[in-house]
Amino acid sequence: MSLDPSSFVFKPAPVVGAPVKGTDKLFPVRRVYCVGRNYAAHAIEMGHDPDREPPFFFQKNPDNLDFSGAFPYPPKSSDVHHEVELVVALGRGGKDISPEDAPNHIFGYAVGLDMTRRDLQGEMKKAGRPWEIGKAFERSAPMGAIVRAEEIEFPASGSVELEVNGELKQQGDLNQLIWKLPEMISYLSQYFELAAGDLIFTGTPAGVGPVSRGDVMRARIAGIGEIEVKCI
Ligand code: MN
């Protein structure tokens, strides 16, 4: 494929760039993977037994990411939920990456929200259908700046929190992840060929719940950062 714009029948969509803390340069996003039910307490609140059903993956689209601090309430839903998550950004890809080698593939980390049309997701689950209309809608993935891995300790633990209008709704710790970051990257790389630019939303702790227009979400992960997102 040529990069010459004149070789396309119309102007291609731009590459999505995520801000990187401490630089004006952007992280070019390739794919967005998301892990479902990666905290036991959240799996239980969603009606599942984490001992019997391991976590799994789904995807959002790169252009679902949003860095503006605003979340427009999406159409066709009356039950939109917040899910605060650690986002892992890959700086190197590969297939069949070992858990021991996986940390060498991490470029950095960010705070993200996996916003979910829970009512539509529920209908799809019941029918055994894919989740895209519940998960991969416009601006469904608000995110903060990526902190480079070399600037922080490996985040094996650290509080993950989300407040709505100043009230604490979600709280967990990275040490509660069922799939730890190295095994998550390793597992994913057995099914897909990973590449630099891939993001992984690593799952949400318990306490998910609805937001309404006017609500202000404040999400923080110890050692990574904090974002404020207003539902408009
Ligand atoms: Mn999620």
Side-chain angles (χ1 to χ4, degrees), residues 22-104:
T23 171
D24 293 338
K25 294 220 167 97
L26 299 170
F27 176 93
V29 181
R30 192 186 78 121
R31 291 183 185 167
V32 181
Y33 295 99
C34 304
V35 186
R37 296 177 211 143
N38 204 15
Y39 289 79
H42 173 63
I44 292 164
E45 78 177 347
M46 297 304 290
H48 300 273
D49 178 353
D51 293 329
R52 292 183 47 207
E53 298 175 76
F56 55 91
F57 289 96
F58 60 93
Q59 282 175 268
K60 294 200 182 208
N61 302 296
D63 68 349
N64 297 149
L65 295 164
D66 192 276
F67 307 95
S68 69
F71 171 71
Y73 201 92
K76 297 290 192 185
S77 178
S78 54
D79 192 27
V80 176
H81 280 201
H82 52 73
E83 297 191 357
V84 57
E85 313 203 355
L86 173 70
V87 182
V88 174
L90 298 186
R92 277 175 54 202
K95 289 190 277 193
D96 299 321
I97 300 166
S98 69
E100 295 70 33
D101 188 33
N104 300 321

